[in-house]
Amino acid sequence: MTWGDDLRAVRQIVGLSREALARLAGVSAATVKSYEDGSRNPSRQMLVALLDAMRVERHARNTILIGAGFAPDGEFLGPVRLPGYMYTPMEAEMHIAELPWPAFVFNELFEVVCANELTQRIWGVDLERDFPPGIARNLLFLGSTPRIAELFKGWDNVARTAIAVIKSNHPGPDDLQSLGPYFADVMQLMSQGGPGYVARFLELWDDTLPNDPKVRLTFPAVFKLPEVGKLSFHCLVTTCSESEGLSFNDWIPIDAETWRGLEILRTRGS
């Protein structure tokens, strides 16, 4: 099938005659026919007008555009040209505040932008009071501070996940020093929690491969709090805002014991 055949098939699926589509797109019915039978080639603007008029979904839309020799639409995830699809930092903070599980938002440098109350109660911190925005909120540093690290089980697994993401997002020599002064400063901050964390991180760096970058990332995390016991999560990382480099990190409880522990933390904080 040609892209013109695909265009005709979409028109028929949505139940529009050539005349009806022509009126919606501001062209003649003869023009629509010529595109469908391949006797004429449209401009990109004209073809987009037809696709917009039929509200063609993204995959079919891009199949037709590419088939006609044009670049695909929608270089980001949102519906075509729909503003407000991604979250602003304020919207993201309001969203995670309503979730029944721990959640936070971090940027492409792994700095926590905001975290809901359950996250902060598990970590045993007041983010606004204890950690100013910026490098002090880098997850590598937060995870190596004694008050958090002593509660965090499976530190290696999470560190490996971070390393795999760093290596895939910062292509170049497989050398931590090549990442520049920011990560050197992160390593210096990590050493405040104890030189063992930096040493272990460097060991993990050497034998961890880059991941295959995807919009969705998962990893396990386990905490053990004296007052509530073991908390086990399946952590899900998804896009919050592509333009601002922000991601959601949702810690989904995997068992009843964890849900009970979260309820204790929620009740004690109210």
Side-chain angles (χ1 to χ4, degrees), residues 35-56:
Y35 294 161
E36 292 181 350
D37 64 24
S39 61
R40 286 181 58 190
N41 293 323
S43 66
R44 192 180 193 282
Q45 180 179 3
M46 185 63 70
L47 185 53
V48 165
L50 292 170
L51 297 172
D52 283 350
M54 293 187 290
R55 299 180 179 272
V56 181

Side-chain angles (χ1 to χ4, degrees), residues 3-41:
W3 68 266
D5 294 328
D6 291 334
L7 185 67
R8 180 188 299 107
V10 169
R11 176 178 60 77
Q12 292 171 343
I13 288 172
V14 299
L16 289 175
S17 66
R18 286 187 179 128
E19 291 74 16
L21 175 57
R23 286 194 297 272
L24 290 172
V27 300
S28 69
T31 296
V32 175
K33 181 179 183 303
S34 68
Y35 294 161
E36 292 181 350
D37 64 24
S39 61
R40 286 181 58 190
N41 293 323

Side-chain angles (χ1 to χ4, degrees), residues 118-135:
L118 275 176
T119 301
Q120 295 180 68
R121 287 172 193 163
I122 290 174
W123 291 352
V125 302
D126 182 319
L127 203 61
E128 293 298 323
R129 182 192 66 205
D130 301 335
F131 297 93
I135 194 171

